[in-house]
Amino acid sequence: MRMRYFLLFIILVFIHCQSPVRVLEEMKFQPGKKRVFILISEQISSFEVVKNSFMEEGKNDYQFLSLNLDGNYDDIDKLPAQIKKLNPDLILCIGSKSLESVAGKVTDIPILFAMVLDYQKFQPEKYENIAGVSLNIPAETIFYNFKNYFGEI
């Protein structure tokens, strides 16, 4: 009985540790609706909220494939080529690492980013295919809110 649990554990570890590129190789869009590929950097609840909201809003007009890197950045340099093979109409990057993996490497597919801190470091203005929602919060705002909640610093 213990051996069964051990083998199950090994299989689950192997599946969890599988390279994101290998997972991406298995993905395919169905013909029909426009295609959106969602790339998520980490398993963070707010990232999932963004993904789910986006999918809910577009469920009638678009089909979605998503890949959560879950912090596994093995072979991340191979992701752009695999994404291009999918030929999505749009790439939604949620989180900094997901944007970093495609910015400047995928230039012929529109890229929309969300939940990316310090997005300027990816120089989106250099590329005509990148746009997004800033998550930058000025230091003055952070200190103002901190002071309002906790008093003097």
Side-chain angles (χ1 to χ4, degrees):
M1 188 66 150
R2 285 185 180 171
M3 186 61 158
R4 260 190 208 166
Y5 287 120
F6 178 73
L7 289 174
L8 180 61
F9 173 76
I10 295 297
I11 290 169
L12 290 174
V13 167
F14 176 74
I15 290 171
H16 180 71
C17 294
Q18 191 174 19
S19 163
V21 173
R22 283 201 170 159
V23 173
L24 191 54
E25 288 172 351
E26 304 298 320
M27 292 183 171
K28 294 200 182 348
F29 283 110
Q30 300 300 315
K33 297 178 180 179
K34 291 192 177 234
R35 303 168 309 274
V36 177
F37 179 70
I38 303 173
L39 185 60
I40 307 168
S41 297
E42 303 275 344
Q43 185 65 40
I44 298 174
S45 61
S46 58
F47 288 7
E48 287 296 315
V49 168
V50 171
K51 178 191 97 168
N52 293 337
S53 298
F54 196 84
M55 290 174 71
E56 180 62 29
E57 286 297 318
K59 68 182 177 187
N60 295 326
D61 301 313
Y62 301 93
Q63 60 177 308
F64 300 94
L65 289 178
S66 71
L67 176 64
N68 192 325
L69 298 173
D70 201 19
N72 181 353
Y73 305 126
D74 295 341
D75 298 327
I76 198 165
D77 56 320
K78 296 177 183 172
L79 278 177
Q82 290 298 326
I83 293 170
K84 286 179 183 181
K85 285 182 184 178
L86 282 174
N87 194 26
D89 296 300
L90 174 72
I91 301 169
L92 173 61
C93 293
I94 304 173
S96 296
K97 202 67 170 177
S98 64
L99 179 60
E100 179 183 344
S101 70
V102 296
K105 300 167 189 109
V106 176
T107 56
D108 54 337
I109 301 169
I111 298 170
L112 180 63
F113 65 84
M115 306 297 286
V116 174
L117 286 172
D118 193 22
Y119 74 93
Q120 293 93 344
K121 70 182 174 185
F122 304 112
Q123 302 174 324
E125 66 280 353
K126 282 177 52 176
Y127 311 103
E128 293 182 8
N129 68 320
I130 299 177
V133 179
S134 171
L135 190 60
N136 293 342
I137 302 169
E140 298 83 28
T141 303
I142 294 170
F143 284 117
Y144 175 79
N145 288 328
F146 187 82
K147 189 175 180 180
N148 280 340
Y149 291 119
F150 301 108
E152 291 298 314
I153 297 178

